[in-house]
Amino acid sequence: NAYTYAPTATSALVAPLMTKVSVYIMLRMMISVFGLDYSYYVIKFQSVIIYLAVAAIVVGSVYALAQTRLKKLLTYFIIAEIGYMVGGAWLGNKAGLTGAIYHIAADALMTVSLFMIIGAIIYKTKSKTFTAMSGVFRKMPFTLVAFLVTAFSMIGVPPTCGFFGKWYLISGAYQA
């Protein structure tokens, strides 16, 4: 709700920072404080965290599909994306960790872009729901092209930046 009901500029800054910084801190703790060997092999939370990450991916995606408000949809996508990053970090291999680290930066840029684009759509149409999307391509063609490219990147369509992060994550999951 904080991202959904906040002004668009606030959502665009806070959403990528708060969520990605949390994952970054988790990674720094895993790598610098505890070390990867201790994090993966001594602490027995790895499988539990991966199951929770998969649950975040599934639940976030399902809830996103059920939304009618544009910003609320994006906030549920953020939950799913955090699941990808956390799951990749705890896979216990180089590809998963690489994908998680890459996905932090890529997803931060995608999230900022989508919040700014959605903010422009809300400003132009004066509506926060999907009903505002009707006929918006004629009113805002460049904005909608940017929206499509960024949305394709968020779901991982090649050759966007979201694809490469998810490719590493899938490779890491396959190796694990």
Side-chain angles (χ1 to χ4, degrees), residues 12-140:
L13 286 174
V14 173
L17 287 177
M18 295 304 290
T19 54
K20 281 35 160 207
V21 167
S22 300
V23 176
Y24 172 75
I25 290 170
M26 179 194 71
L27 286 168
R28 290 294 297 195
M29 297 285 287
M30 286 172 61
I31 295 168
S32 299
V33 175
F34 296 111
L36 289 176
D37 289 335
Y38 185 80
S39 296
Y40 292 145
Y41 305 117
V42 177
I43 301 174
K44 299 296 182 186
F45 291 135
Q46 184 176 7
S47 60
V48 173
I49 293 173
I50 290 174
Y51 285 124
L52 289 172
V54 170
I57 294 167
V58 171
V59 170
S61 299
V62 168
Y63 273 84
L65 291 172
Q67 297 309 309
T68 58
R69 298 173 59 96
L70 293 168
K71 286 171 72 174
K72 191 106 169 170
L73 166 96
L74 185 53
T75 56
Y76 281 112
F77 272 137
I78 291 171
I79 293 170
E81 295 296 318
I82 292 299
Y84 285 116
M85 291 176 237
V86 171
W90 284 93
L91 286 173
N93 56 40
K94 183 179 178 181
L97 194 58
T98 302
I101 293 169
Y102 176 81
H103 209 63
I104 289 172
D107 192 63
L109 294 173
M110 292 182 287
T111 303
V112 166
S113 299
L114 279 174
F115 268 112
M116 303 258 283
I117 292 166
I118 287 172
I121 292 169
I122 291 170
Y123 178 78
K124 183 77 170 180
T125 62
K126 308 289 190 248
S127 176
K128 298 177 180 181
T129 64
F130 279 109
T131 57
M133 298 293 280
S134 177
V136 79
F137 189 78
R138 285 188 299 275
K139 297 176 193 172
M140 309 171 71

